[in-house]
Amino acid sequence: MSEDRYAAAAAGWATGAARVYGPLATQLVAATPHPLAGRRVLDAGAGTGLASAALRTVGARPVALDRSRPMLARDAPARPPAVVGALEALPLRDGAVDDAVAAFALNHVDEPVAALAELARVVRRGGAVLATVAAATTAHRAVRDRIDAVVADAGFTPPGWYAHLTTVQAPQLGSAPTMGAAARAAGLVVVDVTERPADVGVERAEDLVDYRLGQAHVAAWLAGLSAGERAALRRAALDAVAPVMAPYRPPVVTLVARTA
Ligand SMILES: C[S@@+](CC[C@H](N)C(=O)[O-])C[C@H]1O[C@@H](n2cnc3c(N)ncnc32)[C@H](O)[C@@H]1O
Protein backbone atom coordinates (compact mmCIF):
# COMPACT_ATOMS: atom_id res chain seq x y z
CA MET A 1 0.00 0.00 0.00
CA SER A 2 1.27 3.50 -0.75
CA GLU A 3 2.62 5.89 1.88
CA ASP A 4 0.57 6.81 4.93
CA ARG A 5 0.21 10.58 4.72
CA TYR A 6 -1.68 10.57 8.00
CA ALA A 7 0.78 8.57 10.08
CA ALA A 8 1.37 11.46 12.50
CA ALA A 9 -1.96 13.23 12.07
CA ALA A 10 -4.47 11.44 14.30
CA ALA A 11 -4.28 13.65 17.40
CA GLY A 12 -4.28 16.92 15.46
CA TRP A 13 -7.10 15.70 13.27
CA ALA A 14 -9.31 14.64 16.15
CA THR A 15 -8.75 17.75 18.24
CA GLY A 16 -8.20 20.46 15.61
CA ALA A 17 -9.14 19.60 12.05
CA ALA A 18 -12.36 18.05 13.36
CA ARG A 19 -13.71 21.55 14.02
CA VAL A 20 -14.25 21.85 10.28
CA TYR A 21 -14.47 18.20 9.20
CA GLY A 22 -16.91 17.21 11.95
CA PRO A 23 -19.70 19.50 10.72
CA LEU A 24 -18.86 18.57 7.13
CA ALA A 25 -19.25 14.86 7.95
CA THR A 26 -22.64 15.54 9.54
CA GLN A 27 -23.72 17.46 6.44
CA LEU A 28 -22.58 14.67 4.13
CA VAL A 29 -24.53 12.03 6.03
CA ALA A 30 -27.59 14.34 6.03
CA ALA A 31 -27.42 14.45 2.21
CA THR A 32 -28.46 10.79 1.98
CA PRO A 33 -31.32 10.11 -0.43
CA HIS A 34 -32.88 7.54 1.93
CA PRO A 35 -32.86 6.93 5.71
CA LEU A 36 -29.71 5.15 6.84
CA ALA A 37 -31.02 3.81 10.15
CA GLY A 38 -30.22 0.14 10.56
CA ARG A 39 -28.13 -0.02 7.40
CA ARG A 40 -24.54 -1.20 7.09
CA VAL A 41 -22.59 1.78 5.73
CA LEU A 42 -18.94 1.81 4.68
CA ASP A 43 -17.03 4.87 5.92
CA ALA A 44 -14.28 4.87 3.27
CA GLY A 45 -11.21 6.89 4.24
CA ALA A 46 -12.68 7.10 7.72
CA GLY A 47 -9.69 8.71 9.40
CA THR A 48 -10.48 9.36 13.06
CA GLY A 49 -14.12 8.45 12.51
CA LEU A 50 -16.00 11.74 12.08
CA ALA A 51 -18.36 10.35 9.44
CA SER A 52 -18.69 7.09 11.37
CA ALA A 53 -19.92 9.12 14.35
CA ALA A 54 -22.37 11.03 12.18
CA LEU A 55 -23.62 7.71 10.77
CA ARG A 56 -24.14 6.30 14.22
CA THR A 57 -26.08 9.40 15.22
CA VAL A 58 -28.65 8.63 12.52
CA GLY A 59 -28.83 4.96 13.54
CA ALA A 60 -26.66 3.45 10.81
CA ARG A 61 -24.14 0.65 11.42
CA PRO A 62 -20.85 1.96 10.02
CA VAL A 63 -17.77 -0.03 9.19
CA ALA A 64 -14.63 2.06 8.81
CA LEU A 65 -11.83 1.64 6.28
CA ASP A 66 -8.63 3.61 5.97
CA ARG A 67 -5.08 2.97 4.86
CA SER A 68 -3.76 4.74 7.97
CA ARG A 69 -3.65 2.42 10.95
CA PRO A 70 -2.88 5.29 13.38
CA MET A 71 -5.95 7.20 12.19
CA LEU A 72 -8.13 4.14 12.76
CA ALA A 73 -6.48 3.53 16.13
CA ARG A 74 -7.55 6.92 17.47
CA ASP A 75 -10.23 6.25 20.12
CA ALA A 76 -10.64 2.77 18.60
CA PRO A 77 -12.48 1.13 21.55
CA ALA A 78 -15.35 3.57 21.14
CA ARG A 79 -15.52 3.24 17.38
CA PRO A 80 -17.25 0.85 14.97
CA PRO A 81 -15.40 -2.09 13.38
CA ALA A 82 -12.52 -0.99 11.19
CA VAL A 83 -10.24 -2.43 8.54
CA VAL A 84 -6.97 -1.16 7.12
CA GLY A 85 -7.28 -1.02 3.35
CA ALA A 86 -7.07 1.04 0.21
CA LEU A 87 -9.81 2.90 -1.60
CA GLU A 88 -8.35 1.58 -4.85
CA ALA A 89 -8.86 -2.08 -3.88
CA LEU A 90 -11.49 -2.37 -1.16
CA PRO A 91 -11.13 -5.60 0.82
CA LEU A 92 -14.87 -6.27 0.61
CA ARG A 93 -16.95 -8.56 -1.57
CA ASP A 94 -19.40 -7.23 -4.16
CA GLY A 95 -22.54 -5.80 -2.55
CA ALA A 96 -21.14 -6.21 0.96
CA VAL A 97 -22.62 -3.00 2.35
CA ASP A 98 -25.90 -1.15 1.96
CA ASP A 99 -24.36 2.28 1.37
CA ALA A 100 -21.01 4.07 1.45
CA VAL A 101 -19.68 7.48 2.40
CA ALA A 102 -16.28 8.91 1.51
CA ALA A 103 -15.64 12.21 3.28
CA PHE A 104 -12.62 14.08 1.87
CA ALA A 105 -10.89 10.86 0.89
CA LEU A 106 -11.35 10.53 -2.88
CA ASN A 107 -9.17 13.60 -3.40
CA HIS A 108 -6.21 11.50 -2.20
CA VAL A 109 -6.18 9.00 -5.07
CA ASP A 110 -4.56 9.15 -8.50
CA GLU A 111 -7.51 7.47 -10.22
CA PRO A 112 -10.76 8.67 -8.67
CA VAL A 113 -12.96 6.92 -11.22
CA ALA A 114 -11.43 3.59 -10.20
CA ALA A 115 -12.00 4.39 -6.51
CA LEU A 116 -15.60 5.40 -7.19
CA ALA A 117 -16.04 2.15 -9.14
CA GLU A 118 -14.79 0.26 -6.10
CA LEU A 119 -17.42 1.99 -3.96
CA ALA A 120 -20.03 1.12 -6.59
CA ARG A 121 -18.88 -2.50 -6.52
CA VAL A 122 -19.16 -3.00 -2.76
CA VAL A 123 -22.49 -1.18 -2.32
CA ARG A 124 -25.49 -3.34 -3.00
CA ARG A 125 -27.93 -2.46 -5.79
CA GLY A 126 -29.77 0.83 -5.20
CA GLY A 127 -27.57 1.82 -2.25
CA ALA A 128 -26.21 5.31 -1.78
CA VAL A 129 -22.68 6.51 -2.45
CA LEU A 130 -22.07 9.87 -0.77
CA ALA A 131 -18.80 11.73 -1.20
CA THR A 132 -17.26 15.10 -0.51
CA VAL A 133 -14.04 16.75 -1.64
CA ALA A 134 -12.73 20.28 -1.30
CA ALA A 135 -13.68 22.39 -4.31
CA ALA A 136 -10.78 23.55 -6.42
CA THR A 137 -11.74 27.21 -6.17
CA THR A 138 -9.24 29.05 -3.98
CA ALA A 139 -10.74 32.52 -3.51
CA HIS A 140 -12.07 31.77 -0.01
CA ARG A 141 -8.68 30.84 1.38
CA ALA A 142 -7.24 34.33 1.99
CA VAL A 143 -7.70 34.13 5.77
CA ARG A 144 -6.50 30.54 6.01
CA ASP A 145 -3.47 31.41 3.86
CA ARG A 146 -2.31 33.75 6.64
CA ILE A 147 -1.87 30.72 8.86
CA ASP A 148 0.13 28.96 6.16
CA ALA A 149 2.34 32.06 5.82
CA VAL A 150 3.12 32.02 9.55
CA VAL A 151 3.97 28.34 9.39
CA ALA A 152 6.21 28.89 6.36
CA ASP A 153 7.98 31.76 8.13
CA ALA A 154 8.70 29.37 11.00
CA GLY A 155 10.59 27.08 8.63
CA PHE A 156 7.96 24.59 7.43
CA THR A 157 8.24 23.17 3.95
CA PRO A 158 5.43 20.85 2.83
CA PRO A 159 6.13 17.15 2.31
CA GLY A 160 6.36 16.05 -1.32
CA TRP A 161 2.96 14.38 -1.27
CA TYR A 162 1.22 17.66 -0.46
CA ALA A 163 2.10 19.20 -3.82
CA HIS A 164 0.93 16.00 -5.56
CA LEU A 165 -2.33 16.15 -3.59
CA THR A 166 -3.05 19.80 -4.29
CA THR A 167 -1.92 20.03 -7.90
CA VAL A 168 -2.58 16.55 -9.33
CA GLN A 169 -4.99 14.50 -7.23
CA ALA A 170 -7.50 16.89 -5.65
CA PRO A 171 -8.28 18.97 -8.77
CA GLN A 172 -9.58 15.88 -10.56
CA LEU A 173 -12.85 15.93 -8.60
CA GLY A 174 -12.68 19.58 -7.58
CA SER A 175 -15.85 20.83 -9.27
CA ALA A 176 -19.43 19.64 -9.60
CA PRO A 177 -19.06 18.79 -13.33
CA THR A 178 -15.86 16.78 -12.85
CA MET A 179 -17.26 14.93 -9.82
CA GLY A 180 -20.49 14.16 -11.69
CA ALA A 181 -18.60 12.93 -14.75
CA ALA A 182 -16.33 10.72 -12.64
CA ALA A 183 -19.29 9.17 -10.83
CA ARG A 184 -21.03 8.39 -14.11
CA ALA A 185 -17.84 6.94 -15.56
CA ALA A 186 -17.70 4.68 -12.50
CA GLY A 187 -21.18 3.37 -13.31
CA LEU A 188 -23.04 5.30 -10.61
CA VAL A 189 -26.36 7.06 -11.04
CA VAL A 190 -25.91 10.68 -9.98
CA VAL A 191 -28.81 11.89 -7.85
CA ASP A 192 -27.27 15.27 -7.07
CA VAL A 193 -23.89 16.92 -7.27
CA THR A 194 -23.27 20.35 -5.81
CA GLU A 195 -20.43 22.77 -5.29
CA ARG A 196 -21.00 25.42 -2.63
CA PRO A 197 -19.55 27.02 0.47
CA ALA A 198 -20.35 25.04 3.60
CA ASP A 199 -21.35 26.64 6.87
CA VAL A 200 -19.21 24.79 9.40
CA GLY A 201 -19.79 27.18 12.29
CA VAL A 202 -16.13 28.19 12.52
CA GLU A 203 -16.22 31.87 13.38
CA ARG A 204 -13.40 32.30 15.91
CA ALA A 205 -9.75 32.65 14.95
CA GLU A 206 -8.85 29.94 17.51
CA ASP A 207 -10.99 27.38 15.74
CA LEU A 208 -9.61 28.23 12.30
CA VAL A 209 -6.01 28.09 13.53
CA ASP A 210 -6.48 24.81 15.36
CA TYR A 211 -8.22 23.32 12.33
CA ARG A 212 -5.38 24.29 10.03
CA LEU A 213 -2.62 23.24 12.42
CA GLY A 214 -4.43 19.92 12.83
CA GLN A 215 -4.09 18.92 9.19
CA ALA A 216 -1.89 16.09 8.04
CA HIS A 217 0.70 17.97 5.98
CA VAL A 218 2.04 19.84 9.03
CA ALA A 219 1.63 17.02 11.58
CA ALA A 220 5.11 15.50 11.47
CA TRP A 221 6.81 18.91 11.41
CA LEU A 222 4.75 20.19 14.35
CA ALA A 223 5.59 17.05 16.29
CA GLY A 224 9.27 17.94 15.95
CA LEU A 225 8.80 21.31 17.67
CA SER A 226 9.00 21.81 21.41
CA ALA A 227 5.78 22.60 23.29
CA GLY A 228 6.98 26.18 23.67
CA GLU A 229 7.68 26.53 19.96
CA ARG A 230 4.25 25.13 19.12
CA ALA A 231 2.56 27.56 21.50
CA ALA A 232 4.48 30.50 20.01
CA LEU A 233 3.54 29.41 16.50
CA ARG A 234 -0.13 29.18 17.45
CA ARG A 235 0.00 32.67 19.00
CA ALA A 236 1.61 34.09 15.86
CA ALA A 237 -1.06 32.43 13.69
CA LEU A 238 -3.82 33.85 15.92
CA ASP A 239 -2.29 37.33 15.66
CA ALA A 240 -2.21 37.00 11.87
CA VAL A 241 -5.79 35.80 11.57
CA ALA A 242 -7.71 37.67 14.28
CA PRO A 243 -7.84 41.08 12.54
CA VAL A 244 -9.39 39.61 9.37
CA MET A 245 -11.29 36.63 10.74
CA ALA A 246 -14.62 35.97 9.04
CA PRO A 247 -16.88 32.91 9.23
CA TYR A 248 -15.04 30.11 7.45
CA ARG A 249 -17.07 28.74 4.55
CA PRO A 250 -14.96 26.19 2.66
CA PRO A 251 -16.32 25.42 -0.80
CA VAL A 252 -17.20 21.75 -0.98
CA VAL A 253 -18.17 19.42 -3.80
CA THR A 254 -20.77 16.91 -2.65
CA LEU A 255 -21.82 13.83 -4.60
CA VAL A 256 -25.08 12.06 -3.89
CA ALA A 257 -25.30 8.95 -6.04
CA ARG A 258 -26.69 5.45 -6.01
CA THR A 259 -25.66 2.20 -7.52
CA ALA A 260 -27.46 1.12 -10.70
C1 LIG B 1 -8.85 14.26 4.78
S1 LIG B 1 -8.82 12.77 5.72
C2 LIG B 1 -10.57 12.56 5.99
C3 LIG B 1 -10.87 11.66 7.15
C4 LIG B 1 -12.36 11.55 7.48
N1 LIG B 1 -13.12 10.95 6.39
C5 LIG B 1 -12.93 12.89 7.87
O1 LIG B 1 -13.77 13.41 7.13
O2 LIG B 1 -12.53 13.40 8.92
C6 LIG B 1 -8.47 11.56 4.47
C7 LIG B 1 -8.38 10.15 4.98
O3 LIG B 1 -8.34 9.28 3.86
C8 LIG B 1 -7.35 8.31 4.08
N2 LIG B 1 -6.85 7.88 2.78
C9 LIG B 1 -6.15 8.61 1.89
N3 LIG B 1 -5.88 7.90 0.80
C10 LIG B 1 -6.39 6.66 1.01
C11 LIG B 1 -6.44 5.48 0.22
N4 LIG B 1 -5.90 5.42 -0.99
N5 LIG B 1 -7.06 4.41 0.74
C12 LIG B 1 -7.63 4.45 1.98
N6 LIG B 1 -7.61 5.55 2.75
C13 LIG B 1 -7.01 6.65 2.27
C14 LIG B 1 -6.29 8.99 4.91
O4 LIG B 1 -5.48 8.06 5.60
C15 LIG B 1 -7.15 9.87 5.81
O5 LIG B 1 -7.48 9.23 7.01
Side-chain angles (χ1 to χ4, degrees):
M1 205 179 297
S2 52
E3 71 183 321
D4 179 1
R5 299 171 171 178
Y6 283 74
W13 197 270
T15 60
R19 293 176 206 201
V20 166
Y21 289 98
L24 290 173
T26 300
Q27 290 166 21
L28 177 59
V29 168
T32 178
H34 50 238
L36 298 176
R39 293 169 72 92
R40 175 64 76 193
V41 183
L42 174 66
D43 180 4
T48 57
L50 297 173
S52 297
L55 287 165
R56 274 185 162 171
T57 299
V58 299
R61 296 180 298 127
V63 55
L65 173 134
D66 202 286
R67 78 173 165 200
S68 175
R69 193 177 292 279
M71 289 291 271
L72 291 177
R74 175 85 188 179
D75 203 20
R79 289 176 55 182
V83 60
V84 176
L87 293 162
E88 297 88 340
L90 295 171
L92 298 171
R93 62 174 167 74
D94 296 1
V97 295
D98 297 316
D99 309 282
V101 304
F104 298 91
L106 293 171
N107 45 316
H108 280 277
V109 302
D110 283 333
E111 295 184 25
V113 173
L116 280 160
E118 272 295 90
L119 293 175
R121 180 183 68 76
V122 303
V123 170
R124 77 176 200 197
R125 218 184 155 108
V129 174
L130 310 173
T132 37
V133 296
T137 164
T138 53
H140 75 291
R141 293 188 180 133
V143 180
R144 197 191 75 177
D145 284 351
R146 289 187 168 222
I147 303 169
D148 292 358
V150 168
V151 171
D153 281 350
F156 170 73
T157 51
W161 64 257
Y162 190 64
H164 187 63
L165 168 72
T166 54
T167 63
V168 177
Q169 294 177 320
Q172 297 183 94
L173 298 179
S175 70
T178 55
M179 175 67 99
R184 286 184 202 97
L188 288 163
V189 177
V190 175
V191 176
D192 194 21
V193 58
T194 59
E195 177 182 346
R196 55 180 166 235
D199 182 355
V200 291
V202 167
E203 306 202 344
R204 302 181 324 139
E206 288 82 352
D207 290 327
L208 189 69
V209 167
D210 291 339
Y211 140 73
R212 190 60 178 156
L213 297 183
Q215 291 200 285
H217 63 298
V218 287
W221 178 77
L222 281 175
L225 301 183
S226 69
E229 287 169 332
R230 275 198 299 277
L233 183 80
R234 183 173 183 272
R235 272 196 306 277
L238 286 173
D239 288 346
V241 164
V244 293
M245 184 63 197
Y248 187 54
R249 303 263 190 276
V252 172
V253 177
T254 302
L255 171 71
V256 180
R258 62 176 172 74
T259 52

